[in-house]
Amino acid sequence: MANPLLPRVEAAAARLIYALPRPIRRLIAGKPIRLDGQELALDAQLLLRLQQVGKSSMSQDTPELARAMLAESQHLVSGKPIEPVSTRELTIPDDNDGIPATLYTPDGLPEDSGLLVFYHGGGWVIGTRASHDNTARFLARYAGVRVLSIEYRLAPEHPFPAAADDAVAAFDYAYAKAKDLGADPERIAVGGDSAGGNLAAVAAQVTTRRGGPAPAFQLLLYPGVDASVRRRSRELFGSGFFLTDTDMTWFIDHYAPTGVDRTDPRLSPLLAKDFSGLPPAYIATAGFDPLRDEGEAYGEKLREAGVPVAASRQSDLIHGYVNFLGVGTRFREAAAEAAGALRLGLAGIN
């Protein structure tokens, strides 16, 4: 049985390392890393060095092992719970066993606020509401919105399109029950990081194309939007920058195994034929991320279709940065920009 004190000790050690004088942190991290005209932030490089010491990887021999390792390590760099934010557990009814969800409400937020339906990252295979708890809290508090964080079904037990179906069902629930959730039904955004960004983009496309209620805004954080091809950024940053080429192959093979059409827009929303009429979007990419180029290509597709887009490359960061809120300062700065974009994206909608 794992020692319950170990994660606390490791988290405290990480905070101590980040509190060291900059010259010492640079000595631990090593010489600055420059690639593709970008320089990796010291906070990110130091995290990668600590990851090398721990020999951690998101992909493992089995999904069960990968999930267990994430559960053990998720609090190492996420930071102390952001307060004051209240939570309420609920279940979204569907045709299966229901979708568990958590509603986050910052203290003092009035009724009829904006609401973000949030889909966690983890390659559709790992990740939970718990692994992204502080990310949801951060967005709720600093964007001034309610956040409905969804526990969608994971692969390989539930392969494509289960997660995509849950993403759409969650938005539909949020819209139908907006008043019960304390939200304005016309100020509901969808958003997520990585695989969660994929699901948010899919939910926006599906709801827009069918007619009827659709999101008012998209918050897409380093999203995976094309499972059909390899882009230059995957070749450049596929090793040594947290999310690896091996991880990406492992994730997609579990979510979309042999026989799945990987050009299906519900899996690869970048390949949709029509982008017109989609909600305004904030799309953040990380400079040292294998997913960088496809996320930026998605922003171009939206822009070409006349959709308002704020595209932001965090050129000095790595994949996953909105989960690293407990160490350094650079990750929180990038997350704060996303929260500000969400606040502005929902503020002017009546």
Side-chain angles (χ1 to χ4, degrees), residues 18 33 38-51 58 77 193-194 221-222 237 239-244 284-292 313-324 327 330-331 334-335:
Y18 273 88
I33 295 175
Q38 308 167 132
E39 181 173 326
L40 189 63
L42 176 56
D43 281 354
Q45 190 173 341
L46 189 58
L47 182 62
L48 293 175
R49 177 54 60 90
L50 296 177
Q51 182 193 27
M58 286 188 283
V77 292
D193 67 312
S194 193
L221 307 174
Y222 38 88
F237 310 112
S239 177
F241 297 103
F242 185 65
L243 175 65
T244 68
T285 57
F288 290 78
D289 183 355
L291 296 180
R292 184 193 69 186
R313 179 192 288 189
Q314 305 294 321
S315 62
D316 58 344
L317 292 185
I318 57 175
H319 189 87
Y321 64 76
V322 295
N323 292 301
F324 310 145
V327 290
R330 182 65 188 95
F331 303 124

Side-chain angles (χ1 to χ4, degrees), residues 99-110:
I99 305 170
T102 302
L103 179 67
Y104 294 83
T105 304
D107 281 11
L109 189 68

Side-chain angles (χ1 to χ4, degrees), residues 54-319:
K55 298 181 180 179
S56 59
S57 173
M58 286 188 283
S59 57
Q60 298 293 329
D61 290 340
T62 66
E64 292 79 12
L65 180 58
R67 293 165 189 164
M69 293 191 67
L70 176 63
E72 290 179 5
S73 64
Q74 64 193 26
H75 300 301
L76 295 181
V77 292
S78 61
K80 296 179 180 179
I82 293 169
E83 301 288 1
V85 178
S86 63
T87 60
R88 174 160 67 94
E89 302 302 308
L90 53 87
T91 300
I92 298 170
D94 65 0
D95 294 333
N96 299 293
D97 297 324
I99 305 170
T102 302
L103 179 67
Y104 294 83
T105 304
D107 281 11
L109 189 68
E111 295 294 302
D112 294 325
S113 72
L115 182 143
L116 170 68
V117 181
F118 182 78
Y119 312 105
H120 66 76
W124 310 279
V125 178
I126 62 175
T128 61
R129 288 172 292 157
S131 68
H132 285 63
D133 174 72
N134 231 22
T135 302
R137 288 173 176 273
F138 186 96
L139 292 172
R141 180 175 177 186
Y142 293 105
V145 300
R146 287 170 167 82
V147 174
L148 187 65
S149 183
I150 307 304
E151 199 80 61
Y152 56 87
R153 289 171 291 169
L154 297 178
E157 297 88 346
H158 305 283
F160 172 83
D165 290 343
D166 288 354
V168 174
F171 169 78
D172 288 343
Y173 172 86
Y175 186 90
K177 300 294 184 180
K179 295 301 181 183
D180 296 338
L181 299 173
D184 178 352
E186 302 307 318
R187 297 172 61 210
I188 298 177
V190 290
D193 67 312
S194 193
N198 168 278
L199 296 176
V202 169
Q205 287 192 8
V206 170
T207 54
T208 298
R209 291 293 155 250
R210 73 182 181 191
F217 189 75
Q218 304 176 72
L219 185 76
L220 310 182
L221 307 174
Y222 38 88
V225 289
D226 187 359
S228 69
V229 299
R230 301 174 64 91
R231 286 179 168 76
R232 178 172 174 268
S233 59
R234 182 163 175 175
E235 304 301 334
L236 284 174
F237 310 112
S239 177
F241 297 103
F242 185 65
L243 175 65
T244 68
D245 181 69
T246 299
D247 292 336
M248 293 177 65
T249 299
W250 189 84
F251 285 136
I252 194 64
D253 284 350
H254 280 90
Y255 183 51
T258 301
V260 171
D261 178 7
R262 295 188 178 182
T263 67
D264 189 324
R266 294 175 300 163
L267 175 61
S268 299
L270 180 61
L271 304 184
K273 294 181 180 179
D274 185 4
F275 293 85
S276 63
L278 289 173
Y282 169 82
I283 303 177
T285 57
F288 290 78
D289 183 355
L291 296 180
R292 184 193 69 186
D293 290 357
E294 61 193 80
E296 294 179 358
Y298 196 72
E300 286 299 316
K301 285 285 189 180
L302 293 179
R303 190 175 292 109
E304 290 169 1
V307 176
V309 177
S312 177
R313 179 192 288 189
Q314 305 294 321
S315 62
D316 58 344
L317 292 185
I318 57 175
H319 189 87

